[in-house]
């Protein structure tokens, strides 16, 4: 799952990033299970269910709707459509898109609240506290003091509020949560830095968890009327965060979809870790539901060295992303493309570490290194040599999977490909999509190294010379060796292409079509990636002349204009 996004505004890079990370993960998992095309064709035993959506009952949605002369519902409709469009453009293969204003969600939320009221986990009381208006959350007294009564996020003054209110007995679950997070088997908080962050707030000497408000009052002010009503007490509505968290369960809480609970992973940004690693699992414990297997908290993108802000002019909204993808970094007018942008975001993003800077210079650098000079160049070199020396017919390695270039150690591509595949699978177990994708680049690097050592183009020239001199036996032996080398290269590139495809589905499809190796649906990755296997490049098959995948960026071409 991804977080569900507030619809007070249009999508930006942060939203696209969270959904992209989930998409790469979903595509990888489908590939592992044998659904390489993702999305459209689903087999019954396919375990992947990828959920995204929008969080619509926030007060800031009411505010920005009013500022735009729209009702909250109209404004939500407009922006939810923008999110759907943005995610379609970025190529997200989500299986469902939940809007919290949909009856299928609202009805379930009411039922969950009723269950929690019946069990006594939700009760009525009165609340006074420091409220962060921008984040729509109360801070503990300690946290408020620590931040000098200002929002730690937007630095606006906190507001002191008292209100009758429904509470959730969070305190009751502190010990259970602490145990679960420490044990990290049924419920993992990842990466470890985020886990430590949560543990630090759960373990003594941290102040004991207080029960948390789960409602907001409803008054005559229309601004307070947006949201799901507390069952049996229409003077209160469900706090937007509680409403939102329930989306993960409400969507799959049907007869056909129940098998998808518990979620494998909730991918989130670091700012919403507390809600996901503490409040949400406590609610689930109270409901007697299983906990998600993992919460993975990513860092944030900053832009050109600073926190994104509209006034600084470094804000990367969806239109800016469109412009970057449409920009051609060379004079040949081949645009950078969505796949290159996906690649950059997925491999260079703040996945598990510190906040990461988005800069055009870095985008171009990575594009050249990994794609134009990496995968793209290697695939086209290999394809062109097969075209030139073997008329585009895949040469026969006669069972060989390894070759030892003169004066070097052996390149055993069966072993190298296996190592890359295993590396990717291991990385995915920790949700490291960046490290998983880099396995493909590593493999391409091995092919490049092999080409540098074997110099097939020099070999081809020598072969022609030997043949011209009349030594046809030797020429034939050289041709066989050349064929074996090129087969090893091509087959390794094919396997590398599988490992980068979750980030670059369009471009890898283009390669697979030209090489005639489109992965058939229903074959698991382990079989697809078996070197020289029945799903591999077949000796004797014809490969077509390929178009260019990625055109090298020319440093003389000016970068696209600044974000705003
Ligand atoms: N609606 C809540 C989430 C509810 S989930 C049950 C929310 N929405 S949000 O639209 O404000 O943010 C959604 C996600 O985008 C969060 O995970 C947040 O961390 C992420 N990002 C927002 N800005 C970001 C960056 N600049 N970089 C990366 N991700 C960022 O919070």
């Amino acid at each position: 799952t991804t977080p569900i996004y507030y619809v007070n505004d249009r999508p930006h890079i942060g939203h696209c990033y969270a959904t992209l990370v989930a998409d790469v993960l979903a595509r990888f998992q489908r590939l592992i299970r044998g659904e390489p095309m993702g999305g459209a064709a689903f087999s019954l035993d396919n375990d992947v269910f990828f959920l995204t959506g929008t969080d619509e009952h926030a007060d800031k949605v009411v505010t920005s709707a009013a500022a735009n002369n729209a009702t909250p519902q109209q404004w939500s409709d407009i922006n939810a459509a923008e999110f759907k469009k943005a995610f379609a453009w970025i190529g997200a293969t989500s299986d469902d898109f939940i809007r919290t204003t949909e009856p299928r969600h609202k009805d379930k939320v009411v039922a969950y609240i009723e269950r929690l009221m019946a069990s006594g986990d939700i009760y009525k009381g009165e609340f006074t506290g420091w409220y962060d208006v921008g984040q729509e959350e109360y801070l503990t007294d300690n946290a408020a003091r620590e931040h000098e009564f200002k929002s730690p996020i937007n630095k606006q003054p906190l507001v002191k509020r008292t209100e009758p209110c429904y509470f959730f007995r969070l305190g009751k679950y502190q010990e259970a949560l602490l145990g679960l997070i420490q044990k990290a088997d049924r419920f993992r908080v990842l990466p470890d830095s985020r886990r430590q962050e949560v543990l630090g707030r759960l373990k003594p000497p941290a102040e004991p968890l207080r029960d948390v408000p789960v409602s907001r009052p409803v008054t005559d002010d229309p601004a307070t009327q947006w949201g799901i009503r507390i069952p049996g007490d229409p003077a209160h509505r469900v706090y937007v965060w509680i409403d939102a968290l329930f989306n993960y369960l409400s969507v799959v809480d049907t007869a056909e979809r129940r098998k998808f609970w518990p979620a494998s992973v909730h991918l989130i940004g670091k700012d919403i870790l507390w809600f996901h690693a503490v409040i949400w699992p406590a609610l689930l414990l109270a409901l007697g539901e299983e906990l998600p297997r993992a919460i993975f908290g990513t860092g944030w993108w900053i832009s050109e060295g600073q926190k994104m802000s509209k006034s600084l002019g470094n804000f990367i909204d969806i239109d800016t992303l469109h412009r970057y993808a449409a920009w051609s970094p060379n004079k040949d007018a081949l645009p950078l493309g969505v796949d290159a942008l996906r690649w950059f975001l997925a491999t260079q993003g703040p996945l598990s570490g510190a906040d990461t800077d988005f800069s055009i210079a870095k985008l171009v650098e990575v594009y050249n290194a990994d794609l134009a000079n990496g995968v793209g160049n290697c695939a086209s070199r290999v394809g062109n040599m097969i075209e030139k020396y073997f008329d585009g017919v895949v040469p026969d390695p006669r069972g060989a999977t390894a070759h030892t270039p003169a004066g070097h150690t052996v390149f055993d591509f069966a072993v190298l490909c296996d190592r890359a595949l295993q590396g990717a699978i291991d990385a995915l177990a920790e949700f490291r999509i960046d490290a998983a994708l880099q396995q493909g680049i590593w493999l391409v690097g091995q092919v490049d190294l092999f080409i540098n050592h074997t110099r097939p183009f020099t070999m081809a020239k020598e072969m022609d010379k030997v043949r011209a001199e009349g030594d046809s036996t030797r020429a034939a032996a050289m041709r066989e060796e050349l064929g074996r080398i090129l087969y090893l290269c091509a087959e390794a590139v094919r396997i590398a292409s599988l490992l980068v495809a979750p980030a670059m589905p369009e471009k890898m499809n283009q390669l697979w079509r030209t090489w005639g190796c489109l992965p058939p649906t229903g074959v698991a990755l382990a079989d697809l990636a078996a070197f020289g296997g029945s799903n591999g490049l077949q000796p004797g098959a014809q490969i077509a002349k390929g178009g260019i995948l990625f055109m090298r960026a020319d440093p003389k071409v000016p970068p696209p204009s600044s974000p705003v």
Side-chain angles (χ1 to χ4, degrees):
T1 68
T2 73
I4 51 173
Y5 306 99
Y6 288 133
V7 285
N8 55 310
D9 208 344
R10 302 178 66 222
H12 62 60
I13 185 174
H15 310 129
C16 290
Y17 178 66
T19 293
L20 175 66
V21 170
D23 183 62
V24 171
L25 192 59
R27 285 180 190 260
F28 253 126
Q29 295 298 344
R30 292 192 196 107
L31 188 61
I32 288 171
R33 297 177 59 84
E35 291 288 337
M37 296 308 130
F42 260 80
S43 67
L44 282 176
D45 67 342
N46 195 305
D47 243 341
V48 178
F49 189 83
F50 166 17
L51 175 64
T52 192
T54 43
D55 184 358
E56 309 194 346
H57 291 130
D59 287 350
K60 61 179 151 198
V61 174
V62 179
T63 317
S64 71
N68 288 279
N69 294 318
T71 66
Q73 189 62 57
Q74 286 167 335
W75 193 238
S76 298
D77 290 348
I78 289 170
N79 281 314
E82 291 290 331
F83 275 93
K84 284 186 182 171
K85 216 164 68 189
F87 295 161
W89 176 76
I90 201 107
T93 54
S94 47
D95 296 296
D96 201 350
F97 188 106
I98 182 66
R99 299 183 54 191
T100 54
T101 49
E102 289 175 64
R104 62 169 171 151
H105 170 75
K106 293 198 289 191
D107 295 349
K108 288 276 161 41
V109 170
V110 167
Y112 299 143
I113 301 277
E114 276 169 348
R115 257 160 82 184
L116 294 171
M117 286 168 124
S119 69
D121 283 292
I122 284 181
Y123 63 92
K124 198 171 185 179
E126 193 167 75
F127 186 81
T128 302
W130 293 102
Y131 190 70
D132 180 341
V133 180
Q135 289 299 102
E136 310 216 7
E137 62 171 311
Y138 281 96
L139 274 73
T140 62
D141 289 349
N142 275 357
R145 208 170 307 121
E146 200 179 298
H147 292 102
E148 294 169 348
F149 304 97
K150 292 200 182 90
S151 163
I153 309 295
N154 66 13
K155 310 294 175 213
Q156 296 301 307
L158 299 173
V159 180
K160 188 136 203 174
R161 281 202 192 173
T162 299
E163 56 194 25
C165 175
Y166 286 85
F167 287 89
F168 169 60
R169 286 191 203 284
L170 181 62
K172 180 175 158 191
Y173 296 97
Q174 178 160 4
E175 233 178 271
L177 280 173
L178 179 60
L180 283 161
I181 297 172
Q182 274 171 331
K183 209 154 169 227
D185 52 354
R186 276 172 56 203
F187 177 64
R188 295 195 296 160
V189 178
L190 295 167
D192 197 56
S193 51
R194 308 266 179 248
R195 174 168 171 263
Q196 297 306 339
E197 192 182 319
V198 175
L199 284 176
R201 287 177 67 183
L202 287 180
K203 260 191 313 209
E207 54 180 313
L209 293 184
R210 288 211 233 143
D211 293 351
V212 289
V214 294
S215 71
R216 293 287 179 271
V218 175
T219 66
D220 288 344
D221 178 359
T224 67
Q225 291 164 12
W226 183 238
I228 302 171
R229 297 302 160 99
I230 291 281
D233 193 351
H236 299 269
R237 65 201 156 115
V238 179
Y239 173 38
V240 64
W241 259 105
I242 302 301
D243 168 358
L245 287 166
F246 279 131
N247 93 88
Y248 301 125
L249 185 60
S250 71
V251 171
V252 294
D253 197 356
T254 65
E256 316 82 65
R257 287 177 169 180
R258 255 285 164 173
K259 64 178 176 186
F260 292 115
W261 192 260
S264 321
V265 60
H266 294 321
L267 294 159
I268 57 160
K270 60 176 185 179
D271 54 320
I272 58 178
L273 182 64
W274 185 253
F275 285 105
H276 285 81
V278 177
I279 313 258
W280 177 228
L283 285 167
L284 288 166
L285 288 175
L287 283 171
E289 296 285 351
E290 277 196 75
L291 305 193
R293 294 274 174 255
I295 307 289
F296 189 100
T298 72
W300 272 35
W301 282 99
I302 55 174
S303 164
E304 307 290 343
Q306 293 187 62
K307 186 169 158 53
M308 287 200 303
S309 96
K310 289 197 173 159
S311 54
L312 278 180
N314 66 346
F315 198 83
I316 306 176
D317 60 10
I318 185 67
D319 300 321
T320 308
L321 292 176
H322 287 166
R323 276 195 303 112
Y324 290 170
W327 172 63
S328 175
N330 47 60
K331 293 188 200 74
D332 299 273
L334 187 68
L336 198 74
V338 173
D339 275 15
L341 196 62
R342 283 174 60 101
W343 178 262
F344 178 71
L345 294 175
T347 61
Q348 305 299 317
L351 189 66
S352 57
D355 294 351
T356 302
D357 190 31
F358 186 108
S359 78
I360 286 289
K362 180 81 181 166
L363 171 63
V364 170
E365 183 192 315
V366 170
Y367 171 79
N368 271 343
D370 290 351
L371 308 187
N373 297 335
V375 189
N377 181 55
C378 187
S380 91
R381 288 218 268 187
V382 171
N384 288 344
M385 285 192 281
I386 292 178
E387 173 72 35
K388 196 161 165 201
Y389 310 138
F390 293 87
D391 299 319
V393 176
V394 177
D396 192 345
R398 296 178 194 269
T401 60
H403 184 83
T404 308
H408 292 279
T409 50
V410 65
F411 278 78
D412 188 332
F413 279 102
V415 171
L416 295 174
C417 289
D418 219 51
R419 186 181 303 166
L421 175 67
Q422 204 47 56
I425 288 171
D426 291 348
L428 288 173
E430 299 297 309
F431 310 107
R432 294 297 311 266
I433 59 152
D434 50 358
L437 293 166
Q438 294 291 2
Q439 292 297 317
I441 298 296
W442 175 80
L443 191 52
V444 165
Q446 293 297 306
V447 175
D448 279 333
L449 204 63
F450 181 61
I451 292 176
N452 293 347
H453 288 333
T454 50
R455 306 171 68 76
F457 23 86
T458 315
M459 233 168 143
K461 268 191 210 126
E462 272 168 26
M463 181 180 77
D464 286 345
K465 212 171 96 202
V466 168
R467 190 182 294 115
E469 286 163 5
D471 190 345
S472 57
T473 317
R474 200 165 148 237
M478 287 174 84
R479 185 177 156 84
E480 199 178 312
E481 187 185 357
L482 180 62
R484 189 163 63 237
I485 290 168
L486 291 180
Y487 171 87
L488 295 179
C489 292
E491 180 65 348
V493 167
R494 180 190 69 84
I495 291 166
S497 74
L498 293 167
L499 301 180
V500 298
M504 301 189 288
E506 292 287 323
K507 292 290 183 180
M508 293 309 108
N509 257 287
Q510 185 185 334
L511 176 66
W512 295 335
R513 282 194 305 269
T514 45
W515 283 17
C517 59
L518 209 64
T521 299
V523 180
L525 180 60
D527 296 323
L528 291 175
F531 194 91
S534 57
N535 297 290
L537 290 168
Q538 298 305 309
Q542 183 80 38
I543 68 173
K545 226 181 160 64
I548 289 167
L549 290 174
F550 303 101
M551 183 88 68
R552 203 164 286 140
D554 180 344
K556 289 201 284 287
V557 172
S561 51
S562 69
V564 172

